[in-house]
Amino acid sequence: MTAIARLLDDFARRRRPLRSLGASGQLGYGIPTPAFEAGLGRAPDMIGVDMGSIDIGPNYLGSGKLAPTRGGAKRDLRKVLNAARRLDIPLIVGSAGSAGARPHLDQTLAIIREIAAEDGLRFRMGVVAADVSPGVVKQALRAGRVRPMDTMPPLTEADVDATSNLVGQLGLEAFRRALEADVDVVALGRACDTGIFASIPAMLGFPPGIAMHMAKIVECASLCCSPGGRDTILGILDDDGFELESMAPSRAATPASVAAHSLYEQADPFEIREPAGRVDLRDVTYRALDSRRTRVEGARFEPASGLTLKLEGASFLGHRALLLAGVADPRFIARYEEIFAAVTTVVRNLVCEDSPEDYRLGFRLYGVDGVRAWAGAPGQMPREAFVLGECLAPTPERAEEVIRTTKQYLLHHGYEGRLSTAGNLAFPFTPPEVMVGPAYRFNVFHLMEVDDMASLFPVEVETFG
Amino acid sequence: MRLDTMAQVIRSKNAGPCLLTFDLMLPDEATFAYVGARIATLRQKVALAYGRSENEVAVLAYAPALAVKITLPRDIVSGDVGDRDVYGAQQHAPLLDMDL
């Protein structure tokens, strides 16, 4: 009998609260053992871990690279896989490899296979890839079924063709279909984090609004506590609400800390938007059970009229090369804008003698305008500042040529009032030019109307041992 | 009163790759009521400080956490050419000395 079958069977015989363990909100960056072990001692019904985020920027989605290190991901996966098999409870992994496209999912599955072989684990795993074929999106585009999210421009077919990876955020239903394939472990590509913890409640018939609200909180582990942190959290769900308790004694889930969590990385703290509808948090109440546990009630689910899929895509921008240097001459710092502009022209005249201007060169002066494009100069210029030069070019060789030329001419540029005629820059090391590889941008962040998720995102089952 | 003398937390972060969201967490009901009564002014000042029109700036009071949330569009989509703060975690600075 699989872990999910055993759980469903148990609930069929005796309906009771469901105990979910949020082991990690960012698998691959470490799961503190004491709190995780404490959680395993509390008779959990399932373990869930999220790996995903769009905050990490477009590079991982575009390049297909894991956001955590392979070693970190393997250590954490080993911990949760062994625990779930030992207790014979379902393990659910969302947004495999962070960006959750096929290359990330494949690398995560390869790690799981290694662990299964090395540790002699036996289980069935349900997998759903989140990749969407460009053809499907273009067809939807032509049918007027794609619209921009937030401030994105309308999607074009050229955008779709330019993506190096294109995924849709799988929802609760995809997790549920994977579980219904009668498995012990579920691993999904890019997915809504709520699906990790709301899918089993959906199969057991718990109210969806309350379940999704709990899911949204426990997927971040103990981040909803005071002080917030990455320790494992226990969520206990019943038909009227849920209770939260951090498995780290130093962290308290208080009504204020849990309520404040609704603000985190969300534009609207009163709602959770999901592919299948929205959860209204307007009437939610938070009540302290004791100094470390809070009970939450009142979330309401409103189903959407149709299914929508949030698309995420990244396209290649060019190869990036950097120049890292410091300055401490107030004359340079005062004139940095004209110096950067003059050197940009000098460089262009040199590197474009027999080639087109096929690159972008930019500068930031940390200490002055590194973090924000401020309106106006600061009241007082800094004593020292950091120069970041950045070039994006079609090839690594071109990016390197431009940035090395820039380094030479910025070092020796003769600006008005210059006293330091031996050199303008302090290099912290050599070479001060760094090649950072291919760069990407988000070019798809849109909503697509979908009729049938199951045909777009089929479940694959793999058996170990 | 300056926001950094009133709030316990002033933070910024992405809400998706296109939006920045700011949380002002206030220490007590009285301060929350003070800011809550000045939402329109706050919205005006934020729009000016971030170079946005007022209708691009959403400000709402969130009583369960004694917090005020501000959301506005990023100038550059997270991680795109010229972006200076991929996570958006240091864009709160102009709020610190804002007088309300």
Side-chain angles (χ1 to χ4, degrees):
Chain A
M1 201 179 220
T2 61
I4 187 66
R6 212 171 60 82
L7 182 60
L8 295 174
D9 189 56
D10 190 45
F11 267 78
R13 277 186 281 115
R14 183 177 60 96
R15 191 163 172 83
R16 57 176 176 83
L18 178 75
R19 305 165 71 84
S20 303
L21 215 50
S24 167
Q26 260 185 324
L27 191 98
Y29 293 89
I31 299 174
T33 298
F36 183 58
E37 288 293 335
L40 297 179
R42 299 290 296 277
D45 292 309
M46 62 83 67
I47 301 173
V49 289
D50 188 29
M51 294 184 80
S53 172
I54 199 168
D55 267 353
I56 53 175
N59 216 282
Y60 302 96
L61 179 59
S63 67
K65 289 182 183 158
L66 293 180
T69 60
R70 193 179 197 281
K74 186 170 179 181
R75 178 199 57 219
D76 290 359
L77 280 167
R78 167 165 273 143
K79 201 178 268 189
V80 293
L81 259 176
N82 274 283
R85 295 318 309 128
R86 192 167 81 230
L87 301 185
D88 198 14
I89 56 176
L91 169 68
I92 304 185
V93 181
S95 293
S98 288
R102 192 78 229 191
H104 312 96
L105 180 63
D106 283 346
Q107 290 171 82
T108 307
L109 297 180
I111 295 172
I112 291 174
R113 288 183 196 114
E114 270 177 32
I115 297 168
E118 288 164 8
D119 298 355
L121 301 178
R122 296 163 61 93
F123 58 91
R124 261 170 75 85
M125 178 167 67
V127 174
V128 185
D131 304 72
V132 187
S133 86
V136 167
V137 178
K138 285 193 276 187
Q139 204 174 10
L141 200 52
R142 284 179 217 129
R145 303 186 77 190
V146 179
R147 59 181 191 273
M149 289 281 297
D150 301 327
T151 59
M152 292 296 285
L155 194 64
T156 65
E157 296 201 16
D159 288 326
V160 177
D161 288 328
T163 56
S164 56
N165 281 302
L166 180 57
V167 294
Q169 273 198 22
L170 301 172
L172 188 156
E173 66 77 38
F175 285 96
R176 183 170 179 165
R177 282 189 290 110
L179 289 163
E180 284 169 351
D182 191 27
V183 297
D184 304 286
V185 176
V186 166
L188 260 60
R190 184 67 175 135
C192 293
D193 39 27
T194 46
I196 299 169
F197 295 97
S199 46
I200 292 177
M203 294 169 80
L204 295 172
F206 285 99
I210 296 168
M212 283 186 199
H213 190 201
M214 185 196 74
K216 189 75 199 163
I217 296 172
V218 298
E219 69 90 3
C220 291
S222 290
L223 201 61
C224 69
C225 296
S226 175
R230 56 173 63 248
D231 291 297
T232 297
I233 196 165
L234 176 66
I236 304 175
L237 177 70
D238 58 46
D239 287 320
D240 303 307
F242 59 93
E243 300 171 13
L244 296 166
E245 179 184 352
S246 175
M247 294 295 99
S250 61
R251 306 193 188 284
T254 69
S257 73
V258 175
H261 184 69
S262 301
L263 297 162
Y264 189 66
E265 294 177 353
Q266 297 289 321
D268 186 345
F270 290 114
E271 74 165 24
I272 303 167
R273 275 184 281 172
E274 292 296 312
R278 61 186 283 278
V279 182
D280 188 331
L281 303 180
R282 251 157 246 283
D283 297 329
V284 168
T285 58
Y286 303 87
R287 179 164 60 83
L289 295 173
D290 57 36
S291 64
R292 292 189 55 254
R293 295 186 304 144
T294 285
R295 181 170 174 86
V296 184
E297 297 181 357
R300 281 192 319 269
F301 181 68
E302 291 168 10
S305 50
L307 284 176
T308 54
L309 184 68
K310 192 190 284 184
L311 301 172
E312 298 172 354
S315 62
F316 178 69
L317 257 179
H319 289 270
R320 179 175 274 137
L322 305 178
L323 170 65
L324 311 177
V327 289
D329 191 314
R331 290 159 189 82
F332 183 105
I333 294 172
R335 292 178 171 272
Y336 78 98
E337 282 173 302
E338 69 178 62
I339 294 170
F340 290 158
V343 170
T344 301
T345 305
V346 169
V347 169
R348 184 174 57 228
N349 292 342
L350 288 164
V351 304
C352 297
E353 250 178 18
D354 50 12
S355 343
E357 191 180 343
D358 55 358
Y359 65 88
R360 282 185 266 214
L361 177 63
F363 297 93
R364 280 166 230 169
L365 192 67
Y366 281 86
V368 179
D369 65 2
V371 176
R372 283 188 55 76
W374 299 87
Q380 197 185 343
M381 291 303 250
R383 183 166 78 178
E384 293 186 359
F386 176 77
V387 177
L388 178 67
E390 179 192 7
C391 176
L392 281 164
T395 65
E397 294 75 22
R398 182 65 162 163
E400 186 165 359
E401 177 195 1
V402 173
I403 211 74
R404 285 189 187 263
T405 307
T406 302
K407 170 236 155 189
Q408 205 57 20
Y409 286 85
L410 187 60
L411 177 66
H412 293 300
H413 181 69
Y415 59 88
E416 204 182 317
R418 183 193 196 209
L419 299 179
S420 62
T421 54
N424 298 325
L425 304 173
F427 299 124
F429 39 70
T430 60
E433 309 95 336
V434 187
M435 307 303 135
V436 292
Y440 297 83
R441 63 188 291 264
F442 285 123
N443 71 332
V444 181
F445 187 57
H446 292 74
L447 283 177
M448 180 171 82
E449 293 168 32
V450 173
D451 297 321
D452 179 22
M453 295 283 185
S455 63
L456 278 182
F457 305 107
V459 179
E460 309 153 33
V461 175
E462 190 169 341
T463 305
F464 298 85
Chain B
M1 252 207 317
R2 281 169 58 123
L3 293 181
D4 61 0
T5 63
M6 276 192 277
Q8 284 179 318
V9 171
I10 300 181
R11 64 184 186 188
S12 68
K13 197 78 185 276
N14 293 347
C18 303
L19 303 179
L20 276 177
T21 192
F22 305 81
D23 300 327
L24 307 178
M25 296 192 182
L26 304 162
D28 49 49
E29 299 275 358
T31 317
F32 178 70
Y34 180 91
V35 178
R38 290 163 180 79
I39 292 281
T41 313
L42 181 60
R43 189 169 170 218
Q44 244 168 29
K45 293 195 171 201
V46 169
L48 193 67
Y50 286 84
R52 288 284 162 183
S53 69
E54 272 187 60
N55 59 25
E56 292 174 303
V57 179
V59 182
L60 67 92
Y62 179 63
L66 300 179
V68 171
K69 181 171 268 300
I70 303 165
T71 303
L72 47 84
R74 292 176 62 103
D75 294 334
I76 297 172
V77 171
S78 169
D80 209 339
V81 182
D83 183 25
R84 298 163 201 241
D85 187 355
V86 173
Y87 287 36
Q90 282 294 303
Q91 298 309 305
H92 63 295
L95 294 178
L96 296 171
D97 62 355
M98 191 173 279
D99 203 51
L100 192 68

